[in-house]
Amino acid sequence: MNLLPKSTADFGSTEYWNSFFRKRGKQAFEWYGEYPELCTQLHQYIKPKDEILVVGCGNSKLSMDLYDVGFKKITNIDISPVVIKQMQEANRLNRPEMTWNQMDATAMTFPNETFSVVLDKGTLDALFTDESTTVVTMVRNYFAEIGRVLRPAGRYVCISLLQEHILREVVSHFPAAHFMLRIVRCPEAGKGRGTEDAPNADGSSLVVFAIVATKLKNMPLRVLEVGLAGSHIERVQRPEEIIAAVAATQKAAMVCNGLARGSIAGMAEVSLDLFSPTDKERPRYTIHVLDQAPKRGNGKYAAFIVPQGRETEWLFATPAGRRKLQESAKFDRLAIVTLHRGHVYTDLEAVKAELAESVKSLAPQQVLQGASIPYLSIGAEVGRRETIHTGRSELSGEYVVEEIAGENGRLFRRLVFLSNQAVVQSEAALKMARVRGSRAPQKVIDAGYLACQHHLFMTVGVQLAANMDATGSCPIAVVGLGGGGLCTFIRECLKKTTITAVEIDPEVEQIAVKYFGLTLDARLQVVIADGIQFLADEAARGAHYSALLFDVDSKDASVGMSCPPAAFLEREVLANVRKLTGDCGLFVLNLVCRNEALRETTVEGLKRAYRYVLSYQLEEDVNEIFYCTDNEQLKEVTNWQELLRTAADDVNKLARKEKLTLEQELVDLSDFITALKI
């Protein structure tokens, strides 16, 4: 039986509603939810002593349910004489004090200030079918009538789906008419029941709101409030804030409905940010939802909570990593939850309780109502994150230095620029050691820890250059300091080197020295300069370096190459690099490029500058290390492989000799080196 209107304009038609109620007979029609789903909001704003006018009552049971729980002073009106007659007959004996009148809500005949509450369940939505002049005029007449029949301090309580054009008229009219306006969500209302007539019979949910407009005689200031998360009510300054908050709630529900109805297997993951009601600027959680084709596994749906501080690891920070995690977990759908810095999380159980409703809303429809959703994690804790310093760089913006507890409780110190919180700019491991002047062991930087795998292979390049340098010395330049982890490791491991680190940001040098254990002395100095200008100046004065390393990232996330900035690969810059490394030196480039065309252009530029160019693609990361030279010792591929293997062995041996806790053994490079030009 098709009882839905052919066009939205029918919602305002007396003929449509007469026909509708004749077809339905005595069966109530509850699009937006029944009394049990609305009672929490209704009882907050309507009291038993109120004289209540229900406009557009239809054959809804809402008035009857309110009457039965003690609200006796209820007057009902509807534009349809058919439904009024039905309701009069149905309630004459059991609810004698309740009255029913056929009346147009836009032209009521009640005296002024008759009621303390006007209750509207869907009538505004039925009237406000479009933004035509005729409809808008009718709605404004309706609002004027509400204001007229309400007593001072009386309330208009309207249950609505709040389409944008409706909400804009509401936030425009009521504050200007001296009403205090509050918009709250009715979280239990609008859920699909699977009946033939329900508009959401597929089990998805409508997002239902309550408009609460309180009439005041004199209100010099507009009072706008919104409550969309639990019982928290927030006062806002501008109508646009309410509109944006409602739109965000509706969009989130749309995503949840889509996830409930079908699988996204084979498609991109869906990501949602969740905010605390008291902090709309910083997400408290981010949830990534992934589906895979149903398999014989542990179940249909689970949530995985990533411990604090581990959200930047490949397994949790990248779509490919999260896909790997889902495959390992063996759930058809997995919701992966990350916790954001700047918030306090007491323990894992508190996080689970806080996430319960959100995680449930993302479940596939096949998950039975009330079924327990398993929560997965690493260990039984939410992890630890402690901020030890915050600051601001003139070049890179706000930053934080924090300490986190990693796997097995090991401590790490990190530098993160808040403009790109998903990326750890620098990381160092901490260990307990005795410091001169202190009796008890203290936290110190572990100089043998390399956070980035590519730093290890750049170090191999430096050792290769040292082995080829007949002078016995090995001056090197590193463009890009960061926390100084690479420079510190080279200084401690390769004792023949003298290092010049080039860093454009003076704040970064101070951070590296104060928080990341960078030691400046005769073997390691930092030059604060633009890297490109430094190379030009050094080439002009005839400087020479056995190895020159580029480990500098780009601030422009819009391009397909995030390391180095494209300007560092221009012909003039590479020409200066070639001058500085001479005939026997080595240029080592850390390239992070997801655009194949850009990579090809880069390779062509390197080939123009150097005769011999080889690359090493890291197995786990997106980094690719390029070794470039004109040294005739490396004319043959076999020479590259032999000398690089020797250099790798040397780094391993020297690290052990210096008692550096090098955790990543170098693999057999011959399996990965590709000759690009010989």
Side-chain angles (χ1 to χ4, degrees), residues 408-527:
N408 300 322
R410 188 175 186 185
L411 290 179
F412 297 92
R413 185 170 292 172
R414 291 174 171 174
L415 168 63
V416 177
F417 287 103
L418 299 185
S419 59
N420 190 8
Q421 296 191 41
V423 175
V424 175
Q425 206 282 337
S426 298
E427 179 182 271
L430 299 171
K431 62 181 181 180
M432 302 303 295
R434 293 190 180 277
V435 180
R436 183 178 299 176
S438 174
R439 294 182 179 179
Q442 295 185 357
K443 289 187 293 188
V444 298
I445 299 297
D446 183 348
Y449 172 78
L450 286 174
C452 306
Q453 190 187 24
H454 72 271
H455 281 170
L456 194 54
F457 292 96
M458 297 186 85
T459 304
V460 170
V462 174
Q463 181 59 28
L464 174 62
N467 290 344
M468 294 189 301
D469 194 322
T471 66
S473 64
C474 187
I476 71 169
V478 180
V479 181
L481 174 67
L486 174 61
C487 293
T488 295
F489 180 78
I490 293 173
R491 178 183 180 277
E492 297 300 318
C493 186
L494 310 183
K495 296 296 188 180
K496 293 181 179 180
T497 57
T498 55
I499 307 161
T500 300
V502 185
E503 173 59 51
I504 194 172
D505 191 344
E507 185 76 13
V508 169
E509 179 193 8
Q510 296 178 30
I511 295 168
V513 171
K514 188 171 182 180
Y515 297 103
F516 289 87
L518 184 70
T519 301
L520 303 181
D521 56 18
R523 288 191 52 228
L524 174 57
Q525 62 170 325
V526 175
V527 176

Side-chain angles (χ1 to χ4, degrees), residues 176-382:
H178 303 289
F179 280 75
M180 183 175 74
L181 180 63
R182 175 181 291 181
I183 305 292
V184 297
R185 184 177 182 182
C186 306
E188 295 302 315
K191 294 184 177 180
R193 296 170 181 77
T195 65
E196 64 173 350
D197 297 323
N200 50 340
D202 58 3
S204 61
S205 299
L206 300 171
V207 189
V208 179
F209 302 89
I211 302 166
V212 183
T214 304
K215 179 180 176 180
L216 302 174
K217 279 190 174 181
N218 295 303
M219 191 175 66
L221 297 176
R222 293 185 306 181
V223 178
L224 304 172
E225 296 178 332
V226 63
L228 304 179
S231 60
H232 176 76
I233 302 297
E234 178 186 3
R235 183 162 293 185
V236 299
Q237 299 300 315
R238 299 178 296 110
E240 289 75 14
E241 294 179 70
I242 293 181
I243 294 170
V246 168
T249 301
Q250 291 167 331
K251 288 178 182 178
M254 180 179 66
V255 171
C256 293
N257 288 341
L259 289 171
R261 290 195 298 268
S263 171
I264 56 171
M267 302 166 60
E269 63 187 27
V270 170
S271 300
L272 292 171
D273 286 333
L274 302 182
F275 293 81
S276 165
T278 57
D279 187 350
K280 298 295 182 63
E281 300 298 323
R282 300 174 302 171
R284 182 165 172 80
Y285 300 100
T286 294
I287 303 182
H288 303 281
V289 182
L290 302 89
D291 278 347
Q292 62 182 347
K295 300 178 180 178
R296 288 186 178 180
N298 297 334
K300 291 193 175 297
Y301 179 49
F304 187 99
I305 299 175
V306 181
Q308 291 184 92
R310 301 194 65 177
E311 68 278 354
T312 56
E313 295 178 16
W314 177 83
L315 192 63
F316 311 121
T318 66
R322 291 189 286 267
R323 182 68 62 193
K324 184 81 170 178
L325 176 63
Q326 183 193 23
E327 292 171 359
S328 301
K330 298 181 181 178
F331 281 88
D332 298 344
R333 173 169 293 175
L334 188 65
I336 301 173
V337 184
T338 58
L339 287 60
H340 288 266
R341 59 178 49 84
H343 297 277
V344 175
Y345 307 92
T346 53
D347 55 44
L348 193 59
E349 292 306 313
V351 168
K352 290 179 183 179
E354 191 175 13
L355 286 168
E357 284 302 315
S358 296
V359 167
K360 183 180 176 182
S361 71
L362 299 170
Q365 192 174 342
Q366 296 88 340
V367 174
L368 297 176
Q369 186 73 17
S372 176
I373 298 173
Y375 283 82
L376 316 175
S377 190
I378 301 172
E381 300 297 331
V382 293

Side-chain angles (χ1 to χ4, degrees), residues 464 632-644:
L464 174 62
E632 289 294 330
Q633 294 184 57
L634 299 172
K635 185 175 182 179
E636 302 293 336
V637 173
T638 53
N639 290 353
W640 273 107
Q641 294 173 346
E642 180 181 348
L643 291 171
L644 280 168

Side-chain angles (χ1 to χ4, degrees), residues 25-334:
K26 296 179 180 180
Q27 185 180 1
F29 190 61
E30 307 289 355
W31 278 352
Y32 296 179
E34 298 183 1
Y35 168 77
E37 298 156 352
L38 296 169
C39 63
T40 300
Q41 283 72 33
L42 295 180
H43 286 201
Q44 188 172 353
Y45 302 109
I46 305 174
K47 305 304 177 187
K49 66 179 181 179
D50 282 322
E51 294 189 39
I52 304 167
L53 172 65
V54 179
V55 291
C57 60
N59 68 350
S60 169
K61 291 174 58 184
L62 182 59
S63 295
M64 295 179 278
D65 290 332
L66 285 170
Y67 187 97
D68 293 344
V69 297
F71 295 80
K72 303 300 182 183
K73 301 175 183 178
I74 301 178
T75 299
N76 301 274
I77 67 171
D78 196 279
I79 197 172
S80 169
V82 172
V83 77
I84 290 298
K85 184 177 180 181
Q86 290 175 356
M87 299 305 282
Q88 286 173 337
E89 293 174 353
N91 293 281
R92 182 177 290 112
L93 297 177
N94 295 332
R95 302 174 183 88
E97 298 175 58
M98 190 157 55
T99 61
W100 305 84
N101 300 299
Q102 190 275 323
M103 190 180 297
D104 184 348
T106 67
M108 293 184 278
T109 58
F110 300 115
N112 294 348
E113 301 182 358
T114 302
F115 302 99
S116 55
V117 171
V118 173
L119 178 57
D120 171 343
K121 182 187 171 189
T123 298
L124 175 60
D125 291 8
L127 291 174
F128 210 160
T129 55
D130 56 53
E131 297 180 81
S132 65
T133 301
T134 301
V135 170
V136 171
T137 300
M138 177 177 61
V139 169
R140 289 175 179 172
N141 289 339
Y142 174 54
F143 286 166
E145 282 292 274
I146 291 169
R148 183 183 67 79
V149 302
L150 269 178
R151 297 169 186 162
R155 286 177 172 145
Y156 170 53
V157 180
C158 174
I159 307 301
S160 169
L161 299 183
L162 282 186
Q163 292 173 273
E164 184 179 351
H165 69 282
I166 295 176
L167 179 56
R168 287 191 179 277
E169 187 67 27
V170 167
V171 299
S172 172
H173 172 83
F174 286 103
H178 303 289
F179 280 75
M180 183 175 74
L181 180 63
R182 175 181 291 181
I183 305 292
V184 297
R185 184 177 182 182
C186 306
E188 295 302 315
K191 294 184 177 180
R193 296 170 181 77
T195 65
E196 64 173 350
D197 297 323
N200 50 340
D202 58 3
S204 61
S205 299
L206 300 171
V207 189
V208 179
F209 302 89
I211 302 166
V212 183
T214 304
K215 179 180 176 180
L216 302 174
K217 279 190 174 181
N218 295 303
M219 191 175 66
L221 297 176
R222 293 185 306 181
V223 178
L224 304 172
E225 296 178 332
V226 63
L228 304 179
S231 60
H232 176 76
I233 302 297
E234 178 186 3
R235 183 162 293 185
V236 299
Q237 299 300 315
R238 299 178 296 110
E240 289 75 14
E241 294 179 70
I242 293 181
I243 294 170
V246 168
T249 301
Q250 291 167 331
K251 288 178 182 178
M254 180 179 66
V255 171
C256 293
N257 288 341
L259 289 171
R261 290 195 298 268
S263 171
I264 56 171
M267 302 166 60
E269 63 187 27
V270 170
S271 300
L272 292 171
D273 286 333
L274 302 182
F275 293 81
S276 165
T278 57
D279 187 350
K280 298 295 182 63
E281 300 298 323
R282 300 174 302 171
R284 182 165 172 80
Y285 300 100
T286 294
I287 303 182
H288 303 281
V289 182
L290 302 89
D291 278 347
Q292 62 182 347
K295 300 178 180 178
R296 288 186 178 180
N298 297 334
K300 291 193 175 297
Y301 179 49
F304 187 99
I305 299 175
V306 181
Q308 291 184 92
R310 301 194 65 177
E311 68 278 354
T312 56
E313 295 178 16
W314 177 83
L315 192 63
F316 311 121
T318 66
R322 291 189 286 267
R323 182 68 62 193
K324 184 81 170 178
L325 176 63
Q326 183 193 23
E327 292 171 359
S328 301
K330 298 181 181 178
F331 281 88
D332 298 344
R333 173 169 293 175
L334 188 65

